[in-house]
Amino acid sequence: MILSCGEALIDMLPRQGTAGEACFAPHAGGSVFNTAIALGRLGVPSGFLSGISTDLFGEVLIGTLAASNVDAGLAIRSDRPTTLAFVKLVDGHASYAFYDENTAGRMILPGDLPALPAAVKALFFGGISLPVEPCGGTYEALLTREAATRVTMLDPNIRPGFIRDEAAYRARLARMIARTDIVKLSDEDLRWLEGPGEIAALAQGLLRRGPKLVFVTEGGTGAHAFGAGLSVFAPAQRVTVVDTVGAGDTFNAGVLAALDRAGRLTKAAVAAADAPLVSACLALGNAAAAITVSRAGANPPWAEELK
């Protein structure tokens, strides 16, 4: 099982009512939640660990996970409210207003973390769960606890407007990156984290901190993969973009699914990854993301859509 660890929320997506008025439609989401969904749809054993409410929206989240073959048995349930994210779309690109104080996802503590079964081969972390407390510290504690024996992947999916203490957030990311096998960032996230420069040089700097593979997505241009003595680029597939919600999350699932399909989802295999393996990761990540951006909202493809 690949266990995705991070936020689950309700995206309130902009729509038009029957009388032409502006309104919002609720959809289950969250970047880490989307990756778990995408993995389940790609046919990979997928699990999800987060704080999930027992309220109406929490039940929507649980039902959505089950419908995409994601095991939520490790979720931490409480009667706190569900996080809401109101989405604004401009030319297909999303910005967000989050309502997250005192929510079920936000308030989990290290003591709430379950023991993980042996079936968990890899853990995925990221999203808006990392810059906030107490859940950010809880996910960092989980990564620290498990990184020595299981594959770990991190996509910070940085939302500057959500960060209240930038210094603390940067310090957390630095600690997590040092313990993580695979790091994925968009080119914008990479430059927010590392400053201006060429993608290859900035990625090499990240590799020197400890990760074995670094993936960098460049929107409609394509995606890069970097490792020890390794640099591979794959162009994006040409599609008509409806919106970009969930694109990076789906790419993450493609990378992990490709490793799993190749039987290479181990710490040793990731460390020894060669060009054919990372090319397979880029190909599946790009193909899956292309389908996601071609339809509204975070709606990752099923395995049969990629045949």
Side-chain angles (χ1 to χ4, degrees):
M1 176 189 290
I2 299 172
L3 185 66
S4 299
C5 310
E7 79 275 2
L9 52 83
I10 297 295
D11 280 322
M12 304 298 286
L13 300 179
R15 296 290 184 263
Q16 189 174 72
T18 55
E21 74 277 19
C23 59
F24 288 91
H27 290 265
S31 64
V32 179
F33 180 93
N34 292 338
T35 295
I37 292 289
L39 283 165
R41 292 185 180 186
L42 290 173
V44 178
S46 177
F48 186 64
L49 191 159
S50 182
I52 298 183
S53 179
T54 54
D55 68 10
L56 170 66
F57 288 134
E59 292 306 316
V60 170
L61 294 170
I62 292 293
T64 303
L65 290 166
S68 292
N69 302 320
V70 181
D71 183 347
L74 293 171
I76 302 160
R77 305 300 300 275
S78 77
D79 61 1
R80 294 180 181 274
T82 297
T83 299
L84 302 180
F86 285 80
V87 182
K88 180 180 180 181
L89 295 173
V90 178
D91 296 328
H93 294 277
S95 59
Y96 301 84
F98 293 98
Y99 295 82
D100 189 46
E101 294 294 331
N102 297 309
T103 59
R106 175 82 171 263
M107 300 308 294
I108 61 171
L109 299 169
D112 298 323
L113 292 170
L116 301 187
V120 175
K121 296 189 294 184
L123 294 93
F124 172 80
F125 297 88
I128 64 167
S129 299
L130 299 183
V132 295
E133 300 296 348
C135 64
T138 300
Y139 289 117
E140 183 184 353
L142 179 60
L143 184 146
T144 300
R145 189 185 84 184
E146 302 293 338
T149 56
R150 307 180 208 250
V151 173
T152 52
M153 179 174 178
L154 171 67
D155 174 9
N157 199 8
I158 296 163
R159 306 288 186 200
F162 201 73
I163 301 166
R164 296 293 176 263
D165 187 337
E166 183 176 321
Y169 177 51
R170 286 182 178 275
R172 169 163 293 147
L173 289 182
R175 293 189 299 269
M176 295 181 75
I177 286 168
R179 298 183 176 105
T180 299
D181 299 297
I182 306 167
V183 174
K184 176 265 181 176
L185 308 100
S186 69
D187 57 329
E188 292 179 352
D189 288 351
L190 178 63
R191 293 190 172 101
W192 185 93
L193 192 64
E194 296 293 288
E198 295 297 321
I199 286 174
L202 298 178
Q204 290 298 328
L206 282 180
L207 286 169
R208 288 192 289 271
R209 297 197 202 177
K212 303 303 184 288
L213 292 175
V214 172
F215 291 88
V216 181
T217 55
E218 237 187 321
T221 301
H224 306 257
F226 301 94
L230 188 68
S231 176
V232 180
F233 173 77
Q237 295 187 8
R238 300 293 95 190
V239 296
T240 299
V241 175
V242 174
D243 67 51
T244 61
V245 178
D249 312 324
T250 304
F251 179 90
N252 295 332
V255 168
L256 288 166
L259 291 169
D260 185 67
R261 291 176 181 181
R264 304 285 294 278
L265 194 59
T266 67
K267 295 182 77 67
V270 168
D274 55 14
L277 180 61
V278 298
S279 294
C281 293
L282 291 170
L284 185 54
N286 280 344
I291 293 177
T292 297
V293 302
S294 71
R295 51 204 191 191
N299 185 8
W302 293 85
E304 53 266 27
E305 295 181 81
L306 292 164
K307 293 178 179 178

